[in-house]
Amino acid sequence: MNKKEIHPRTASKSESLDQRSEALLAKMTLAEKIGQMSQIAGTGGITAGLRKAVQQGKVGSILNEIDTDTLNELQRIAIEESRLGIPIIIGRDVIHGFQTVMPIPLGQAASWNPGLIEKSARVAAIEGASVGIHWTFAPMIDITRDPRWGRIAESLGEDPHLTSVLGAAMVKGFQGEDLANHDSLAACAKHFAGYGYSEAGKDYAYVNIAENELRNVVLPPFKAAADAGVATFMTAFSDVNGIPATGNEFLTRKVLREEWKYKGFVVSDWDSVIQLTTHGFAESEKEAAFEAVAAGVDMEMASQTYLYNIEALVREGRIDESLIDECVGNILRVKYALGLFEQPYTDESQFPEKGNDDHLAVARLAALESIVLLKNDYNVLPLNADHQHNIAIIGPLADDGHEQMGTWTFDGVEAWCQTPLKAIRDMLPGHVNIHVARGLDTTRSKHRKGFAEALEAAAKSETVILFMGEEAILSGEAHCRADIDLPGVQNELLAEIAKLGKTTILVVMAGRPLTLDLTRQHVNAILYAWHPGTMGGPAIADVLFGKSNPSGKLPVTFPKHVGQIPIYYNQRMSGKPATAQSFTYIDDIPKRAPQTSTGNTSFHMDAGYEPLYPFGFGLSYTRFYYGEVRLSDHEFRVGEGIEVYIDLTNIGEVHGAEVAQLYIRDRFGSITRPVRELKGFQKVWLHPGETRTLTFQLHSDDLAFYNRQMNLVTEPGGFDLWVGGDSNASKHAHFKINQ
Ligand code: GLC
């Protein structure tokens, strides 16, 4: 192919995106318009059929082709051999890194660091764009409170405020300063909406969700993404209250277009248009196409119902061509914004080398700040390498680069992964003997044949570091678990090792919260590393041996028992809430106990009412002290705001970061309100003895919710406010809002 003069994509500034889109639209035939609404899955290479379809203008987008030469040739065919020369937009799931892999999004969320998350997405965009990708199907901002659901791994956790802030940061990182920059990717807010409420944590299952829950919990992160300028949305597979999201006018027309005035385009999920027939929502593929277009789904991913049915629907008068023009206009505006008409081709030499030191440094920092210290009895961590003589490194995840990358890492380069074992070996002084034993083939292994070797390694050592958890395949799309204990016989191995009485540290790699109530009784310390990505090993080693102080905080509640799910911090009060007094262990209840003996409140007799670890929780190698909360005012009006002050001091011996979290409770509302809601957070690094006064801005708009009349309002009344290091924050104040 004769290489055109390659230069960064620069969108023409002379005409507006609307003007350019409308001008092109006016030239298009109906068939060409429908072509823009079709995204096909790349099959590796250019078949005769694909070449012909591109020449005929039937391919608006391609996903899952990443060979640069192939992409440039497909663009050349589209530009030079189709009638109107409209460039193709290339999509790919660049979810948490391209070849340099960052922690899974749930792990990134544990950093509570929007700036770092933006940087991670920026690296992902640069590497993805370098091969010719223009569009990533991220961020996934589905709120979920069900760790059985495999896709919790891709989410940013259970909280609307945290997901809103971090999701917007990802959008900015992917899209960069200007979509037309050659290293920008159009982002995609997904999955619109409610997918994280899949019944029983089973993927693709029914979603039953009240409108006020949808509007007050599920939709805010999508609104934040739209406000951040996200270029596209993706509809969910889910059947939402009986109307699948891919045919749901309430979501993609009323909310997204009428209320939010959204101007980007909406793509379906993979085959989710044709699946409207499977749902029993559309009687035929033609009806599926009708329902999806009528609902405002601009582009169909993978299935081809649009290509084969929309022309007839328009000819029959069932769909007005003006609706098609709207869809195509939405798509063309994004293509113009991306500068694809100016520069559809990619030259990898214009980009920095993938996996370069800067990218790996971001991946290492992202992994470091994602690590949550859950337990540290007697401050066994950090380990002092100089005092170690024999260390056992045991478990199936100590040295497995593929597994530590986690789910949705099609393009991650395993060879670049630095595992914990390698990093520990590189870090420890020569006098330390490292005894390695895998113990189990995989995290799912049911046999004990490796136990003896593991126990032998442990017996020789003063310190045992276990690397256990879930392989990457145990989370992600369609990979849900009904039991979220450590899989296989990991707990059994751990219990055997615990009997040796060594200092035992557990490092967990997993794509979800696991139920560790029994597990934690056998170990002195627990580091939760999620799936930490390419540089997980050095990050974990730095924390284990004190080169870095862990700062992660949980973005999701950890249940004691799977039977507690859904369990989350921002629950409603109930008319009979559990209290510390009401909880009775099931086996303590005397025979024929009176019905009221367990307090008749809201809890499980065999699990209580509290989680294992609460939302926002995370320990440090230092300690932080919160002073009293001070308010600039204790009364203000709707439309006004106050400042919240608190002094935070590092009262420990080492430098460290704390995430100070601000929660409120609306004491009374026209609908019941959560017992707590996160409304602000600040991650601060403090030296030993250092005190900093933190200031939070709190405006009455921050307290607005969709009320009984389904209006977004701040209702006057009394509020509680807390500031602290997790969702059990205790430094309290109260204020009143007047009309
Ligand atoms: C998948 C996922 C979606 C992804 C798309 C393209 O089924 O649901 O999140 O972006 O298909 O791979």
Side-chain angles (χ1 to χ4, degrees), residues 409-485:
T409 51
F410 300 128
D411 307 302
V413 177
E414 184 177 345
W416 296 350
C417 289
Q418 296 198 30
T419 65
L421 177 59
K422 179 187 183 303
I424 290 170
R425 280 205 165 111
D426 292 348
M427 176 180 284
L428 287 182
H431 73 270
V432 181
N433 300 312
I434 300 175
H435 307 286
V436 180
R438 193 178 173 92
L440 296 159
D441 289 340
T442 76
T443 67
R444 288 163 282 169
S445 297
K446 299 266 193 298
H447 54 71
R448 297 162 167 256
K449 67 182 181 184
F451 277 32
E453 182 197 22
L455 288 163
E456 187 186 339
K460 290 179 195 167
S461 308
E462 305 87 42
T463 304
V464 178
I465 307 175
L466 296 158
F467 290 88
M468 296 183 160
E470 293 179 325
E471 278 111 343
I473 195 67
L474 296 180
S475 59
E477 183 172 352
H479 296 144
C480 306
R481 296 179 64 204
D483 170 352
I484 55 172
D485 281 352

Side-chain angles (χ1 to χ4, degrees), residues 273-291:
V273 174
I274 201 165
Q275 286 167 11
L276 297 179
T277 58
T278 315
H279 280 286
F281 183 72
E283 203 171 350
S284 66
E285 292 185 13
K286 184 175 181 182
E287 291 311 308
F290 171 77
E291 293 289 353

Side-chain angles (χ1 to χ4, degrees), residues 63 93 137 151 190-191 234 237 269-270 301 408 477:
L63 81 155
D93 293 284
F137 306 121
R151 303 200 76 167
K190 72 182 187 183
H191 305 78
M234 181 187 292
F237 287 121
D269 202 335
W270 187 293
M301 180 188 285
W408 285 108
E477 183 172 352

Side-chain angles (χ1 to χ4, degrees), residues 29-104:
T29 64
L30 177 58
E32 288 164 336
K33 294 174 185 174
I34 296 166
Q36 286 303 304
M37 299 168 70
S38 299
Q39 177 184 59
I40 67 163
T43 51
I46 302 175
T47 61
L50 177 56
R51 179 180 298 275
K52 187 174 177 201
V54 173
Q55 288 165 337
Q56 292 173 333
K58 291 182 175 178
V59 181
S61 176
I62 290 176
L63 81 155
N64 293 347
E65 176 55 71
I66 58 166
D67 174 76
T68 309
D69 291 340
T70 304
L71 291 175
N72 279 335
E73 175 56 9
L74 284 166
Q75 286 294 20
R76 188 200 61 75
I77 297 166
I79 305 294
E80 298 180 3
E81 299 180 16
S82 75
R83 190 176 76 87
L84 291 171
I86 301 173
I88 300 167
I89 181 170
I90 304 300
R92 180 71 165 177
D93 293 284
V94 183
I95 308 295
H96 54 106
F98 185 60
Q99 294 187 352
T100 303
V101 177
M102 308 296 163
I104 54 172

Side-chain angles (χ1 to χ4, degrees), residues 226-253:
D227 293 345
V230 72
T232 67
F233 269 60
M234 181 187 292
T235 59
F237 287 121
S238 311
D239 172 347
V240 182
N241 299 330
I243 302 177
T246 303
N248 193 312
E249 286 191 63
F250 170 77
L251 290 173
T252 38
R253 280 212 184 285

